[in-house]
């Protein structure tokens, strides 16, 4: 008996599920999705240049840990 490869639709559903879980985990720790951010900026603010991926990461980290917040440390 030989094993058959999973169907393409099963692989597609598994890949979509994996992306959803990973996106959810990133959001739980305060790390947004860069691709979603760029799509949002291009759609709703076409006159603005999106941050680079590095700038976006730093911006999200600063927001998460309250950098520049004068009222004290903020984690969540």
């Amino acid at each position: 008996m030989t094993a058959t490869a999973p169907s393409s639709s099963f692989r597609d559903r598994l890949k979509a599920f994996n992306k959803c879980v990973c996106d959810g985990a990133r959001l739980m720790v305060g790390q947004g999705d860069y691709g979603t951010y760029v799509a949002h900026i291009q759609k709703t603010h076409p006159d603005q240049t999106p941050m680079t991926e590095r700038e976006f990461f730093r911006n999200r980290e600063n927001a998460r840990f309250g950098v520049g917040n004068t009222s004290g440390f903020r984690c969540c």
Side-chain angles (χ1 to χ4, degrees):
M1 185 187 294
T2 61
T4 58
S7 70
S8 174
S9 82
F10 176 76
R11 274 188 257 140
D12 292 342
R13 287 185 290 147
L14 187 59
K15 186 176 179 179
F17 177 75
N18 186 48
K19 181 179 179 347
C20 183
V21 169
C22 289
D23 289 348
R26 281 189 204 96
L27 289 173
M28 281 189 268
V29 297
Q31 202 51 253
D33 180 46
Y34 181 69
T36 302
Y37 158 74
V38 170
H40 167 78
I41 291 296
Q42 290 173 341
K43 181 179 179 184
T44 60
H45 308 284
D47 57 319
Q48 295 180 10
T49 303
M51 292 182 269
T52 66
E53 194 166 359
R54 181 179 209 135
E55 291 168 334
F56 175 77
F57 176 80
R58 181 57 52 206
N59 176 275
R60 296 293 78 223
E61 287 291 300
N62 289 345
R64 178 178 177 202
F65 293 111
V67 173
N69 182 357
T70 58
S71 63
F73 179 80
R74 179 185 177 275
C75 174
C76 300

